[in-house]
Amino acid sequence: MGIDNDDLQIWHILETYPPGYGGGAAITTRDVCRALAARGHDVRVLCADCIDAEPYSIRCEDDQGVRVERVNLPFIARDPDGWLFSKSEWQSHGRRIDELIGKLLEQWRPDIVDYHTSRPFGEQCLIALGGRGVPAVATLHDAWLVCPRVMLLRSPDSSACDGPGRLKCLECSYSYYDGSHARAMLKLPWRVLKLGAYPAWRLKQRERARRRLIGAIARSEFMAEVHRPHIGGVVEHIPLGLNLADLPECKPARPRTPLRFGFIGGFQPGKGIVHVLDAAAVLRGEGLRFELHIWGPGCEGRESEISSRGLNGCAFLRGMYAPEQCWSVYGEMDVALMATLVNEPFGRVPLEAAAMRAPTIAPAVGGIRETIRDGVDGLHYRFRDGEDLTRQMRRILTETGLLEKLMANLSPPLDTRAQAVEVERFYYRVLSSTLAIFDL
């Protein structure tokens, strides 16, 4: 029995789907869904919503042939992970999710589910699918399946983590970046009293959920290696693609005078804007000429962050932009900056910047090391080291020919349509393997 080349019914379950803001994970998922639908598959999306409506109610819409069902989960605005719930409250939420999945499956049954990290639906969503015999794979935009902190950043010392372990994960769950293991241990009795068994129970639920998977797609080899020991079936690295349909043929002349650095993480926690602003302040104090343009969430009312560092007339708050404005935004910068404070699973920014012929400076951590060749088509700096970021920005401003060299070595990114073909092949592969087991 086989299904190769059959049109599939594919259900993507994720946290946020555009036009709601969901970062690169939401954008790339939308692009892949549209590409799969264009290839003849019946593609549907289930995502979380947060509107003034009845909890767990669903509103439906069409997105270029993709049916999108948005479930109203009002708590996601303040607590998308559900850690502010009690154990009984999260269990009650899980029962509602189980009931919801059951009703939707009565109306339409997919051949395969692609479970993108969806914290508000929680572990019960995967458990419910597995209990009803629906094959499910995961797309690993982050490490939610194996990491209570989601982004492989260990608590309490903020070091990069190379994967789960029972004691490591318990320590992460019962501490909160206290700075040292000793300090975390001092607070442990109080936290155990306050939190009870809820974090430990969630870890067990996470294990149950990932056992329901028959495979996973990783956007980097780093993520594939972290997850392979903990997920059944094939964990395959399929490089991230970009929607290049509207990519301008003509790229801006670079470098401008003054040179422009661009940062698109806004003031989101974990994106490292403080390191970027502090580096810019040091470089301006040295008399170097440049501009820093900041896009993304949280820019409103942040003028004091600029003025207090003496960056007026040098740093500019640009705010949010729509996905269709992506190429014009990258066209306005000469060098892209990433300053993430977490163990980034992949890093979309270097690819988007490269598509517009702009190199990126980013920390040498996680999957970012695979998207930038240090000193060849971009620059790495030491993870969470603001002084080293300053050093690399200074090199761009002072080393003759460095920017031109990095630009000349940039490689074009993969197109989403080519990525969708690889995703389709992966679905066929894992489904054929599953069917072969049942045929035996």
Side-chain angles (χ1 to χ4, degrees):
M1 183 177 180
I3 58 165
D4 288 3
N5 301 317
D6 289 351
D7 290 339
L8 298 174
Q9 295 187 156
I10 307 167
W11 202 13
H12 291 262
I13 301 180
L14 64 152
E15 186 167 325
T16 308
Y17 191 85
Y21 181 78
I27 293 169
T28 189
T29 303
R30 179 205 60 192
D31 293 344
V32 168
C33 286
R34 288 176 175 177
L36 288 169
R39 292 180 63 79
H41 302 291
D42 182 0
V43 181
R44 302 192 184 188
V45 166
L46 180 69
C47 65
D49 206 354
C50 186
I51 59 173
D52 184 16
E54 183 70 20
Y56 302 95
S57 61
I58 297 177
R59 61 188 178 103
C60 303
E61 59 194 57
D62 179 82
D63 176 51
Q64 297 188 19
V66 177
R67 179 181 170 87
V68 181
E69 295 172 309
R70 302 182 187 270
V71 182
N72 189 38
L73 301 175
F75 70 87
I76 69 172
R78 62 183 178 89
D79 183 25
D81 288 291
W83 290 115
L84 299 180
F85 282 60
S86 67
K87 180 182 175 183
S88 61
E89 287 171 333
W90 193 249
Q91 286 176 316
S92 176
H93 170 64
R95 286 191 290 271
R96 296 292 299 270
I97 293 299
D98 189 277
E99 179 184 339
L100 178 81
I101 294 296
K103 287 182 177 178
L104 291 172
L105 288 175
E106 289 174 4
Q107 301 165 19
W108 179 79
R109 190 174 180 89
D111 296 305
I112 191 166
V113 170
D114 196 334
Y115 195 79
H116 308 258
T117 297
S118 185
R119 298 172 295 168
F121 291 110
E123 299 85 0
Q124 188 59 40
C125 186
L126 273 177
I127 294 169
L129 291 165
R132 291 169 173 83
V134 181
V137 298
T139 293
L140 307 173
H141 301 283
D142 57 37
W144 180 86
L145 282 164
V146 297
C147 176
R149 293 290 179 190
V150 181
M151 298 298 281
L152 291 170
L153 189 71
R154 288 195 64 182
S155 177
D157 62 358
S158 298
S159 60
C161 182
D162 57 3
R166 194 170 296 272
L167 290 179
K168 282 198 303 182
C169 292
L170 281 171
E171 185 182 32
C172 266
S173 298
Y174 284 93
S175 63
Y176 196 80
Y177 299 110
D178 302 297
S180 71
H181 299 281
R183 195 173 292 123
M185 288 301 294
L186 284 173
K187 297 181 179 181
L188 182 61
W190 173 81
R191 284 182 173 140
V192 170
L193 246 157
K194 179 184 177 184
L195 300 173
Y198 180 50
W201 175 78
R202 286 288 300 274
L203 285 177
K204 284 300 290 184
Q205 289 294 98
R206 200 73 55 91
E207 289 181 22
R208 284 186 65 199
R210 63 177 180 256
R211 283 200 297 268
R212 301 292 189 174
L213 296 168
I214 61 171
I217 296 169
R219 298 294 182 225
S220 64
E221 274 299 333
F222 162 71
M223 287 292 280
E225 290 171 8
V226 167
H227 285 80
R228 280 185 181 120
H230 309 284
I231 290 179
V234 177
V235 179
E236 185 170 322
H237 171 209
I238 298 178
L240 180 72
L242 302 179
N243 183 357
L244 303 177
D246 298 322
L247 182 69
E249 288 189 16
C250 296
K251 310 299 187 291
R254 296 186 173 98
R256 298 171 176 86
T257 303
L259 181 141
R260 293 184 189 174
F261 291 109
F263 180 78
I264 67 166
F267 285 78
Q268 297 177 88
K271 294 298 184 181
I273 183 61
V274 170
H275 282 174
V276 172
L277 291 173
D278 288 347
V282 170
L283 297 173
R284 195 179 199 198
E286 294 173 358
L288 296 171
R289 292 188 64 228
F290 61 93
E291 291 180 358
L292 170 63
H293 293 255
I294 302 164
W295 288 269
C299 288
E300 300 80 8
R302 297 286 187 162
E303 290 77 12
S304 62
E305 303 276 2
I306 304 299
S307 58
S308 66
R309 292 175 172 82
L311 293 173
N312 289 329
C314 171
F316 304 92
L317 301 172
R318 307 293 297 274
M320 293 291 290
Y321 63 91
E324 57 269 19
Q325 298 173 303
C326 170
W327 302 131
S328 64
V329 167
Y330 282 100
E332 290 192 50
M333 62 181 78
D334 298 320
V335 177
L337 300 175
M338 278 189 80
T340 179
L341 302 177
V342 299
N343 200 357
E344 198 73 36
F346 182 74
R348 182 184 178 92
V349 168
L351 294 185
E352 291 178 331
M356 284 298 290
R357 310 302 299 163
T360 301
I361 302 174
V365 68
I368 296 174
R369 291 168 294 190
E370 300 171 35
T371 58
I372 296 173
R373 295 173 292 172
D374 185 36
V376 177
D377 55 13
L379 297 175
H380 287 160
Y381 71 91
R382 289 187 296 273
F383 181 48
R384 299 174 73 96
D385 188 335
E387 291 185 4
D388 205 37
L389 169 61
T390 307
R391 177 182 68 87
Q392 295 290 47
M393 291 171 65
R394 183 186 295 113
R395 288 183 63 198
I396 288 287
L397 294 168
T398 60
E399 289 189 22
T400 303
L402 176 59
L403 176 59
E404 290 79 4
K405 169 192 165 185
L406 300 178
M407 289 170 53
N409 290 327
L410 288 167
S411 301
L414 185 70
D415 190 284
T416 297
R417 290 163 292 190
Q419 178 192 352
V421 171
E422 295 304 312
V423 170
E424 178 188 78
R425 287 176 181 162
F426 177 79
Y427 293 157
Y428 288 141
R429 177 183 176 188
V430 295
L431 285 172
S432 295
S433 298
T434 303
L435 289 170
I437 291 171
F438 284 114
D439 285 347
L440 292 175

